[in-house]
Amino acid sequence: MKKPDRQRQSFYSGIVSAVIFFGAGLLCGCGNTDRQESREFIAMGTYITLTACGSSAGEGLAAAEEKITALEKLWSVNDENSEIYKANRSGGEAVHLHKETAGLLRSALETAEKTGGAFDPTVYPLVEAWGFNSHEYRIPEDDEIKRLLENVGYRKIKLEGETLRLPAGVRIDLGAVGKGYAGDAAAALLKKAGINSALLNIGGNVQAVGRKPDGNKWIIGIRNPFDKGGLAGIIEAENTAVITSGGYERCFTGSDGRTYHHIIDPETGRPAESGLASVTVIAESGEYADSLSTALFVMGQEKAAAYWRNLGTAEPAKETDAGEKPFDMIIITNSGELFITEGVSGNFTPADDYTGSLTVLEK
Ligand code: FAD
Ligand code: MG
């Protein structure tokens, strides 16, 4: 590991952080011949802003919005017509899933296996018990947590082809991966419509399609978890997903004065206390980056670094020989230290006013 000198160039003039601001006019700066269009809407419990440049921008964005809302209908834990809602109340009966739901669940199960259960879609009963679904926050009793944990464990999920069987009491939630998948699907539709320059912000999950129309990479802000509205740094990106899991947004202060956030450690049934404030994963696939950002947050810095060393690569995104997908990450610990992987170090610039130390993780 090495500690580099901070790059002190000021990148901030004229830059828009996709994570924080939605100044679409500044985002694209399409040329005279190109049309730039944006769509802002609420879906999947979050604000979504899609911006695309190109003559078919309107058509591509309409298809992308339609797709995201269709996926929400399939996967919402609250919509009684959704597949997940029905599966969660199936009482052990077989449920037939749409092929996209089955595909996403299968890949979520693979991530659960690879991350040693740090990512686990069956953690939902605990998410509910803490009030993160209803926003009626509470601290469950130890006995309640113990009882609910009996129904947690991704191996309880039986998925054969498109047939799902959940034992009574086991409930699932694709909230840690659905927005990432939606970003991939939206990006694919935009590309299909002939768009090769777009920036998609799905509640802070950012998907960069191509480069900016001027040929430069997109610039995406990484939130400073300790300063609402502030940045820890910026990253330059093209054709990639930049996805953050943090404990600073969906959280509440309990009657004991402590802060509790929505990322649950499946082992304890409590908000993960891994020493991290946020984990940003940079990978070609939004779905992969989304699931990993949640899992690595649960793991903590050391285990996350070991996971990256085992599976990641600093090479451009491609399948490695081991069949694993490479990724990079930016970790911010509760004490403000920044850890970034070597593959992203050339594209990351810490904010001028960010005072935490910066360490580059090497293989
Ligand atoms: P992530 O880290 O990506 O995910 C954290 C979420 O995943 C938690 O909120 C919890 O649901 C779940 N989770 C917690 N711990 C784990 C774990 N260890 N392993 C796996 N999963 C875990 N929110 C609303 O308030 N209202 C809505 O109507 C609503 N509808 C939604 C519909 C869909 C289809 C999806 C995908 C999400 C919806 N959400 C809704 C959820 C909301 O957008 C979540 O806050 C979001 O999905 C969490 O994403 P994140 O990027 O903040 O954190
Ligand atoms: Mg996630």
Side-chain angles (χ1 to χ4, degrees), residues 57-113:
E59 175 198 324
L61 289 171
E65 180 176 347
E66 198 180 312
K67 180 73 186 178
I68 293 170
T69 42
L71 292 176
E72 179 186 21
K73 283 198 173 76
L74 274 182
W75 301 334
S76 167
V77 287
N78 300 317
D79 181 343
E80 54 190 42
N81 294 312
S82 88
E83 293 200 328
I84 299 299
Y85 186 97
K86 288 177 184 160
N88 283 343
R89 286 153 186 83
S90 58
E93 294 295 313
V95 176
H96 184 260
L97 301 177
H98 187 283
K99 70 174 188 308
E100 270 183 292
T101 312
L104 184 60
L105 187 54
R106 182 161 291 110
S107 104
L109 291 173
E110 279 164 20
T111 304
E113 184 71 34

Short mmCIF file of all heavy atoms in Angstrom, two decimals, residues 57-113:
data_model
loop_
_atom_site.label_atom_id
_atom_site.label_comp_id
_atom_site.label_asym_id
_atom_site.label_seq_id
_atom_site.Cartn_x
_atom_site.Cartn_y
_atom_site.Cartn_z
N ALA A 57 -32.49 10.98 -28.41
CA ALA A 57 -32.48 11.03 -26.94
C ALA A 57 -33.89 10.85 -26.35
O ALA A 57 -34.08 10.07 -25.42
CB ALA A 57 -31.88 12.36 -26.47
N GLY A 58 -34.87 11.54 -26.92
CA GLY A 58 -36.23 11.49 -26.37
C GLY A 58 -36.79 10.07 -26.40
O GLY A 58 -37.31 9.56 -25.41
N GLU A 59 -36.61 9.44 -27.53
CA GLU A 59 -37.12 8.07 -27.72
C GLU A 59 -36.41 7.09 -26.76
O GLU A 59 -37.05 6.29 -26.07
CB GLU A 59 -36.80 7.72 -29.19
CG GLU A 59 -37.09 6.35 -29.66
CD GLU A 59 -36.29 6.09 -30.97
OE1 GLU A 59 -36.13 7.04 -31.79
OE2 GLU A 59 -35.82 4.99 -31.14
N GLY A 60 -35.09 7.22 -26.66
CA GLY A 60 -34.32 6.33 -25.77
C GLY A 60 -34.70 6.54 -24.31
O GLY A 60 -34.86 5.56 -23.56
N LEU A 61 -34.87 7.79 -23.91
CA LEU A 61 -35.21 8.08 -22.51
C LEU A 61 -36.60 7.57 -22.16
O LEU A 61 -36.84 7.08 -21.06
CB LEU A 61 -35.10 9.58 -22.23
CG LEU A 61 -33.68 10.14 -22.23
CD1 LEU A 61 -33.70 11.66 -22.16
CD2 LEU A 61 -32.87 9.57 -21.07
N ALA A 62 -37.53 7.69 -23.11
CA ALA A 62 -38.89 7.19 -22.85
C ALA A 62 -38.85 5.69 -22.61
O ALA A 62 -39.48 5.17 -21.68
CB ALA A 62 -39.80 7.52 -24.02
N ALA A 63 -38.08 4.98 -23.43
CA ALA A 63 -37.97 3.52 -23.27
C ALA A 63 -37.31 3.18 -21.93
O ALA A 63 -37.72 2.25 -21.24
CB ALA A 63 -37.16 2.93 -24.43
N ALA A 64 -36.29 3.97 -21.56
CA ALA A 64 -35.58 3.71 -20.30
C ALA A 64 -36.50 3.93 -19.10
O ALA A 64 -36.53 3.11 -18.17
CB ALA A 64 -34.34 4.60 -20.22
N GLU A 65 -37.27 5.02 -19.13
CA GLU A 65 -38.19 5.28 -18.01
C GLU A 65 -39.25 4.18 -17.89
O GLU A 65 -39.56 3.69 -16.80
CB GLU A 65 -38.87 6.65 -18.17
CG GLU A 65 -39.81 6.93 -17.01
CD GLU A 65 -40.45 8.32 -17.04
OE1 GLU A 65 -39.99 9.19 -17.81
OE2 GLU A 65 -41.41 8.54 -16.27
N GLU A 66 -39.76 3.79 -19.05
CA GLU A 66 -40.79 2.74 -19.05
C GLU A 66 -40.23 1.45 -18.45
O GLU A 66 -40.88 0.77 -17.66
CB GLU A 66 -41.23 2.50 -20.51
CG GLU A 66 -42.54 1.78 -20.65
CD GLU A 66 -42.90 1.58 -22.12
OE1 GLU A 66 -42.82 2.56 -22.89
OE2 GLU A 66 -43.22 0.45 -22.46
N LYS A 67 -38.99 1.15 -18.80
CA LYS A 67 -38.37 -0.08 -18.29
C LYS A 67 -38.19 -0.03 -16.77
O LYS A 67 -38.48 -0.99 -16.05
CB LYS A 67 -37.01 -0.28 -18.98
CG LYS A 67 -36.26 -1.52 -18.54
CD LYS A 67 -36.92 -2.74 -19.12
CE LYS A 67 -36.31 -4.03 -18.60
NZ LYS A 67 -36.98 -5.21 -19.11
N ILE A 68 -37.69 1.11 -16.28
CA ILE A 68 -37.44 1.23 -14.83
C ILE A 68 -38.75 1.09 -14.05
O ILE A 68 -38.81 0.39 -13.04
CB ILE A 68 -36.71 2.56 -14.52
CG1 ILE A 68 -35.30 2.54 -15.12
CG2 ILE A 68 -36.65 2.79 -13.00
CD1 ILE A 68 -34.57 3.86 -15.09
N THR A 69 -39.81 1.72 -14.56
CA THR A 69 -41.08 1.61 -13.83
C THR A 69 -41.65 0.19 -13.92
O THR A 69 -42.26 -0.30 -12.97
CB THR A 69 -42.12 2.66 -14.28
OG1 THR A 69 -42.09 2.74 -15.69
CG2 THR A 69 -41.86 4.02 -13.77
N ALA A 70 -41.39 -0.49 -15.04
CA ALA A 70 -41.85 -1.89 -15.16
C ALA A 70 -41.10 -2.77 -14.16
O ALA A 70 -41.68 -3.65 -13.53
CB ALA A 70 -41.65 -2.38 -16.59
N LEU A 71 -39.80 -2.53 -14.02
CA LEU A 71 -39.01 -3.34 -13.08
C LEU A 71 -39.47 -3.08 -11.64
O LEU A 71 -39.53 -3.99 -10.82
CB LEU A 71 -37.51 -3.03 -13.22
CG LEU A 71 -36.88 -3.47 -14.53
CD1 LEU A 71 -35.42 -3.02 -14.60
CD2 LEU A 71 -36.96 -4.99 -14.72
N GLU A 72 -39.80 -1.82 -11.35
CA GLU A 72 -40.30 -1.50 -10.01
C GLU A 72 -41.57 -2.31 -9.72
O GLU A 72 -41.74 -2.87 -8.63
CB GLU A 72 -40.59 0.00 -9.88
CG GLU A 72 -41.12 0.34 -8.50
CD GLU A 72 -41.55 1.79 -8.36
OE1 GLU A 72 -41.83 2.43 -9.38
OE2 GLU A 72 -41.62 2.26 -7.22
N LYS A 73 -42.44 -2.39 -10.71
CA LYS A 73 -43.71 -3.15 -10.53
C LYS A 73 -43.43 -4.63 -10.27
O LYS A 73 -44.16 -5.28 -9.54
CB LYS A 73 -44.59 -2.99 -11.77
CG LYS A 73 -45.30 -1.65 -11.84
CD LYS A 73 -46.48 -1.73 -12.82
CE LYS A 73 -47.31 -0.46 -12.80
NZ LYS A 73 -46.69 0.66 -13.51
N LEU A 74 -42.38 -5.15 -10.87
CA LEU A 74 -42.04 -6.56 -10.66
C LEU A 74 -41.46 -6.81 -9.27
O LEU A 74 -41.68 -7.85 -8.67
CB LEU A 74 -40.97 -7.00 -11.67
CG LEU A 74 -41.34 -7.49 -13.05
CD1 LEU A 74 -40.08 -7.90 -13.79
CD2 LEU A 74 -42.30 -8.68 -12.98
N TRP A 75 -40.67 -5.85 -8.76
CA TRP A 75 -39.82 -6.14 -7.60
C TRP A 75 -40.15 -5.40 -6.32
O TRP A 75 -39.51 -5.64 -5.29
CB TRP A 75 -38.35 -5.86 -7.95
CG TRP A 75 -37.86 -6.66 -9.10
CD1 TRP A 75 -38.34 -7.88 -9.51
CD2 TRP A 75 -36.80 -6.33 -10.00
NE1 TRP A 75 -37.65 -8.32 -10.60
CE2 TRP A 75 -36.69 -7.39 -10.93
CE3 TRP A 75 -35.93 -5.25 -10.11
CZ2 TRP A 75 -35.75 -7.40 -11.95
CZ3 TRP A 75 -34.98 -5.26 -11.12
CH2 TRP A 75 -34.90 -6.32 -12.03
N SER A 76 -41.11 -4.49 -6.37
CA SER A 76 -41.39 -3.72 -5.15
C SER A 76 -41.87 -4.65 -4.02
O SER A 76 -42.74 -5.49 -4.22
CB SER A 76 -42.47 -2.68 -5.44
OG SER A 76 -42.95 -2.16 -4.22
N VAL A 77 -41.29 -4.47 -2.84
CA VAL A 77 -41.75 -5.30 -1.70
C VAL A 77 -43.10 -4.82 -1.17
O VAL A 77 -43.74 -5.52 -0.38
CB VAL A 77 -40.71 -5.31 -0.54
CG1 VAL A 77 -39.50 -6.14 -0.88
CG2 VAL A 77 -40.34 -3.90 -0.12
N ASN A 78 -43.51 -3.62 -1.59
CA ASN A 78 -44.75 -3.04 -1.05
C ASN A 78 -45.96 -3.17 -1.98
O ASN A 78 -47.10 -3.04 -1.53
CB ASN A 78 -44.55 -1.54 -0.76
CG ASN A 78 -43.45 -1.33 0.25
OD1 ASN A 78 -43.37 -2.05 1.23
ND2 ASN A 78 -42.58 -0.36 -0.02
N ASP A 79 -45.71 -3.39 -3.26
CA ASP A 79 -46.80 -3.45 -4.24
C ASP A 79 -47.38 -4.87 -4.26
O ASP A 79 -46.70 -5.83 -4.63
CB ASP A 79 -46.23 -3.08 -5.62
CG ASP A 79 -47.29 -3.10 -6.70
OD1 ASP A 79 -48.37 -3.68 -6.49
OD2 ASP A 79 -47.02 -2.53 -7.78
N GLU A 80 -48.66 -4.97 -3.89
CA GLU A 80 -49.21 -6.32 -3.74
C GLU A 80 -49.34 -7.09 -5.04
O GLU A 80 -49.59 -8.29 -5.04
CB GLU A 80 -50.55 -6.29 -2.99
CG GLU A 80 -51.58 -5.37 -3.59
CD GLU A 80 -52.78 -5.20 -2.66
OE1 GLU A 80 -52.57 -5.06 -1.44
OE2 GLU A 80 -53.91 -5.23 -3.18
N ASN A 81 -49.11 -6.39 -6.16
CA ASN A 81 -49.12 -7.10 -7.44
C ASN A 81 -47.73 -7.53 -7.88
O ASN A 81 -47.57 -8.17 -8.93
CB ASN A 81 -49.72 -6.20 -8.53
CG ASN A 81 -51.19 -5.94 -8.25
OD1 ASN A 81 -51.94 -6.88 -7.97
ND2 ASN A 81 -51.58 -4.68 -8.27
N SER A 82 -46.69 -7.15 -7.11
CA SER A 82 -45.33 -7.48 -7.56
C SER A 82 -45.01 -8.95 -7.31
O SER A 82 -45.59 -9.60 -6.44
CB SER A 82 -44.30 -6.58 -6.87
OG SER A 82 -43.88 -7.16 -5.64
N GLU A 83 -44.05 -9.45 -8.07
CA GLU A 83 -43.65 -10.86 -7.92
C GLU A 83 -43.01 -11.09 -6.56
O GLU A 83 -43.19 -12.15 -5.95
CB GLU A 83 -42.66 -11.22 -9.02
CG GLU A 83 -43.28 -11.23 -10.39
CD GLU A 83 -42.48 -12.04 -11.39
OE1 GLU A 83 -41.24 -12.10 -11.28
OE2 GLU A 83 -43.11 -12.62 -12.30
N ILE A 84 -42.25 -10.11 -6.09
CA ILE A 84 -41.56 -10.29 -4.80
C ILE A 84 -42.59 -10.28 -3.66
O ILE A 84 -42.50 -11.09 -2.74
CB ILE A 84 -40.49 -9.18 -4.60
CG1 ILE A 84 -39.44 -9.26 -5.71
CG2 ILE A 84 -39.86 -9.27 -3.22
CD1 ILE A 84 -38.66 -10.55 -5.79
N TYR A 85 -43.56 -9.38 -3.76
CA TYR A 85 -44.61 -9.32 -2.73
C TYR A 85 -45.33 -10.67 -2.64
O TYR A 85 -45.53 -11.23 -1.56
CB TYR A 85 -45.60 -8.20 -3.08
CG TYR A 85 -46.67 -7.94 -2.03
CD1 TYR A 85 -46.51 -6.91 -1.10
CD2 TYR A 85 -47.82 -8.72 -1.99
CE1 TYR A 85 -47.49 -6.67 -0.14
CE2 TYR A 85 -48.80 -8.47 -1.03
CZ TYR A 85 -48.63 -7.45 -0.11
OH TYR A 85 -49.59 -7.21 0.83
N LYS A 86 -45.69 -11.21 -3.82
CA LYS A 86 -46.42 -12.49 -3.84
C LYS A 86 -45.54 -13.63 -3.33
O LYS A 86 -45.99 -14.47 -2.55
CB LYS A 86 -46.91 -12.79 -5.26
CG LYS A 86 -48.07 -11.88 -5.66
CD LYS A 86 -48.50 -12.14 -7.10
CE LYS A 86 -49.59 -11.17 -7.51
NZ LYS A 86 -49.72 -11.04 -8.95
N ALA A 87 -44.27 -13.64 -3.76
CA ALA A 87 -43.36 -14.71 -3.31
C ALA A 87 -43.20 -14.67 -1.79
O ALA A 87 -43.15 -15.71 -1.14
CB ALA A 87 -42.01 -14.56 -4.00
N ASN A 88 -43.13 -13.45 -1.25
CA ASN A 88 -42.92 -13.31 0.20
C ASN A 88 -44.12 -13.80 1.02
O ASN A 88 -44.02 -13.97 2.22
CB ASN A 88 -42.61 -11.85 0.55
CG ASN A 88 -41.17 -11.49 0.21
OD1 ASN A 88 -40.34 -12.38 0.00
ND2 ASN A 88 -40.88 -10.20 0.15
N ARG A 89 -45.23 -13.99 0.34
CA ARG A 89 -46.42 -14.47 1.04
C ARG A 89 -46.90 -15.82 0.48
O ARG A 89 -48.05 -16.18 0.62
CB ARG A 89 -47.54 -13.42 0.93
CG ARG A 89 -47.26 -12.22 1.82
CD ARG A 89 -47.90 -10.95 1.30
NE ARG A 89 -47.48 -9.81 2.11
CZ ARG A 89 -46.35 -9.14 1.94
NH1 ARG A 89 -45.48 -9.51 0.99
NH2 ARG A 89 -46.04 -8.12 2.72
N SER A 90 -45.99 -16.54 -0.13
CA SER A 90 -46.38 -17.78 -0.81
C SER A 90 -46.47 -18.97 0.13
O SER A 90 -46.94 -20.04 -0.28
CB SER A 90 -45.39 -18.09 -1.93
OG SER A 90 -44.09 -18.19 -1.37
N GLY A 91 -45.99 -18.81 1.36
CA GLY A 91 -46.09 -19.87 2.37
C GLY A 91 -45.51 -21.21 1.92
O GLY A 91 -46.05 -22.26 2.25
N GLY A 92 -44.42 -21.15 1.17
CA GLY A 92 -43.76 -22.40 0.77
C GLY A 92 -44.22 -22.94 -0.57
O GLY A 92 -43.65 -23.89 -1.09
N GLU A 93 -45.27 -22.34 -1.16
CA GLU A 93 -45.75 -22.79 -2.48
C GLU A 93 -44.80 -22.30 -3.57
O GLU A 93 -44.17 -21.25 -3.44
CB GLU A 93 -47.15 -22.20 -2.76
CG GLU A 93 -48.24 -22.71 -1.85
CD GLU A 93 -48.50 -24.20 -2.03
OE1 GLU A 93 -48.61 -24.65 -3.20
OE2 GLU A 93 -48.56 -24.91 -1.00
N ALA A 94 -44.76 -23.06 -4.67
CA ALA A 94 -43.91 -22.65 -5.81
C ALA A 94 -44.51 -21.42 -6.48
O ALA A 94 -45.73 -21.30 -6.62
CB ALA A 94 -43.81 -23.79 -6.81
N VAL A 95 -43.64 -20.51 -6.88
CA VAL A 95 -44.08 -19.28 -7.56
C VAL A 95 -43.31 -19.19 -8.88
O VAL A 95 -42.09 -19.40 -8.90
CB VAL A 95 -43.74 -18.04 -6.69
CG1 VAL A 95 -44.10 -16.76 -7.42
CG2 VAL A 95 -44.46 -18.11 -5.37
N HIS A 96 -44.03 -18.91 -9.95
CA HIS A 96 -43.33 -18.75 -11.23
C HIS A 96 -42.91 -17.30 -11.42
O HIS A 96 -43.71 -16.39 -11.24
CB HIS A 96 -44.22 -19.20 -12.41
CG HIS A 96 -43.47 -19.14 -13.70
ND1 HIS A 96 -43.61 -18.10 -14.60
CD2 HIS A 96 -42.52 -19.96 -14.22
CE1 HIS A 96 -42.78 -18.29 -15.61
NE2 HIS A 96 -42.11 -19.42 -15.41
N LEU A 97 -41.64 -17.10 -11.73
CA LEU A 97 -41.10 -15.74 -11.86
C LEU A 97 -40.89 -15.35 -13.31
O LEU A 97 -40.58 -16.20 -14.16
CB LEU A 97 -39.74 -15.65 -11.15
CG LEU A 97 -39.69 -15.97 -9.66
CD1 LEU A 97 -38.25 -15.89 -9.17
CD2 LEU A 97 -40.57 -15.01 -8.86
N HIS A 98 -41.01 -14.06 -13.55
CA HIS A 98 -40.59 -13.48 -14.83
C HIS A 98 -39.10 -13.80 -15.01
O HIS A 98 -38.36 -13.86 -14.03
CB HIS A 98 -40.81 -11.95 -14.74
CG HIS A 98 -40.57 -11.23 -16.02
ND1 HIS A 98 -39.31 -10.96 -16.49
CD2 HIS A 98 -41.43 -10.71 -16.93
CE1 HIS A 98 -39.41 -10.31 -17.64
NE2 HIS A 98 -40.69 -10.15 -17.93
N LYS A 99 -38.67 -13.99 -16.25
CA LYS A 99 -37.29 -14.43 -16.42
C LYS A 99 -36.25 -13.40 -15.92
O LYS A 99 -35.18 -13.76 -15.45
CB LYS A 99 -37.00 -14.88 -17.85
CG LYS A 99 -36.95 -13.83 -18.92
CD LYS A 99 -36.49 -14.52 -20.22
CE LYS A 99 -36.19 -13.61 -21.36
NZ LYS A 99 -37.17 -12.63 -21.75
N GLU A 100 -36.62 -12.12 -15.96
CA GLU A 100 -35.68 -11.11 -15.44
C GLU A 100 -35.58 -11.20 -13.91
O GLU A 100 -34.52 -10.98 -13.34
CB GLU A 100 -36.12 -9.71 -15.84
CG GLU A 100 -35.52 -9.31 -17.18
CD GLU A 100 -35.87 -7.90 -17.57
OE1 GLU A 100 -37.05 -7.66 -17.84
OE2 GLU A 100 -34.96 -7.05 -17.60
N THR A 101 -36.71 -11.49 -13.25
CA THR A 101 -36.67 -11.63 -11.79
C THR A 101 -35.83 -12.84 -11.41
O THR A 101 -34.97 -12.77 -10.51
CB THR A 101 -38.10 -11.80 -11.22
OG1 THR A 101 -38.95 -10.80 -11.79
CG2 THR A 101 -38.11 -11.71 -9.71
N ALA A 102 -36.07 -13.96 -12.13
CA ALA A 102 -35.32 -15.17 -11.84
C ALA A 102 -33.82 -14.93 -12.09
O ALA A 102 -32.97 -15.35 -11.29
CB ALA A 102 -35.83 -16.32 -12.70
N GLY A 103 -33.51 -14.23 -13.18
CA GLY A 103 -32.10 -13.96 -13.51
C GLY A 103 -31.43 -13.11 -12.44
O GLY A 103 -30.31 -13.40 -12.01
N LEU A 104 -32.15 -12.08 -11.99
CA LEU A 104 -31.55 -11.19 -10.98
C LEU A 104 -31.40 -11.93 -9.64
O LEU A 104 -30.38 -11.80 -8.96
CB LEU A 104 -32.41 -9.94 -10.80
CG LEU A 104 -31.84 -8.90 -9.83
CD1 LEU A 104 -30.47 -8.40 -10.29
CD2 LEU A 104 -32.78 -7.71 -9.67
N LEU A 105 -32.40 -12.71 -9.29
CA LEU A 105 -32.32 -13.46 -8.04
C LEU A 105 -31.19 -14.48 -8.10
O LEU A 105 -30.43 -14.65 -7.13
CB LEU A 105 -33.67 -14.14 -7.77
CG LEU A 105 -33.81 -14.84 -6.42
CD1 LEU A 105 -33.50 -13.89 -5.26
CD2 LEU A 105 -35.23 -15.39 -6.26
N ARG A 106 -31.03 -15.12 -9.26
CA ARG A 106 -29.95 -16.10 -9.39
C ARG A 106 -28.60 -15.41 -9.21
O ARG A 106 -27.72 -15.90 -8.52
CB ARG A 106 -30.04 -16.79 -10.76
CG ARG A 106 -28.99 -17.85 -10.97
CD ARG A 106 -29.34 -18.82 -12.09
NE ARG A 106 -30.47 -19.65 -11.74
CZ ARG A 106 -31.68 -19.56 -12.28
NH1 ARG A 106 -31.92 -18.66 -13.22
NH2 ARG A 106 -32.66 -20.34 -11.90
N SER A 107 -28.44 -14.28 -9.83
CA SER A 107 -27.14 -13.61 -9.69
C SER A 107 -26.97 -13.03 -8.28
O SER A 107 -25.86 -13.02 -7.74
CB SER A 107 -26.93 -12.61 -10.82
OG SER A 107 -27.10 -11.33 -10.43
N ALA A 108 -28.09 -12.66 -7.62
CA ALA A 108 -27.99 -12.22 -6.21
C ALA A 108 -27.54 -13.39 -5.33
O ALA A 108 -26.74 -13.22 -4.40
CB ALA A 108 -29.34 -11.68 -5.73
N LEU A 109 -28.02 -14.58 -5.65
CA LEU A 109 -27.63 -15.76 -4.86
C LEU A 109 -26.15 -16.08 -5.07
O LEU A 109 -25.44 -16.48 -4.14
CB LEU A 109 -28.50 -16.97 -5.24
CG LEU A 109 -29.96 -16.86 -4.80
CD1 LEU A 109 -30.79 -18.01 -5.35
CD2 LEU A 109 -30.07 -16.80 -3.28
N GLU A 110 -25.68 -15.88 -6.30
CA GLU A 110 -24.25 -16.09 -6.56
C GLU A 110 -23.40 -15.10 -5.76
O GLU A 110 -22.39 -15.46 -5.17
CB GLU A 110 -23.95 -15.94 -8.06
CG GLU A 110 -24.29 -17.18 -8.86
CD GLU A 110 -24.38 -16.91 -10.35
OE1 GLU A 110 -23.84 -15.89 -10.84
OE2 GLU A 110 -25.03 -17.73 -11.04
N THR A 111 -23.85 -13.84 -5.74
CA THR A 111 -23.10 -12.84 -4.97
C THR A 111 -23.12 -13.19 -3.49
O THR A 111 -22.12 -13.06 -2.79
CB THR A 111 -23.68 -11.43 -5.19
OG1 THR A 111 -23.69 -11.16 -6.57
CG2 THR A 111 -22.88 -10.36 -4.48
N ALA A 112 -24.28 -13.67 -3.02
CA ALA A 112 -24.38 -14.06 -1.61
C ALA A 112 -23.36 -15.14 -1.29
O ALA A 112 -22.64 -15.08 -0.29
CB ALA A 112 -25.80 -14.55 -1.32
N GLU A 113 -23.26 -16.11 -2.19
CA GLU A 113 -22.32 -17.23 -1.99
C GLU A 113 -20.87 -16.69 -2.00
O GLU A 113 -20.08 -16.99 -1.11
CB GLU A 113 -22.55 -18.24 -3.12
CG GLU A 113 -21.74 -19.51 -3.03
CD GLU A 113 -22.19 -20.44 -1.90
OE1 GLU A 113 -23.40 -20.48 -1.61
OE2 GLU A 113 -21.32 -21.10 -1.31
#
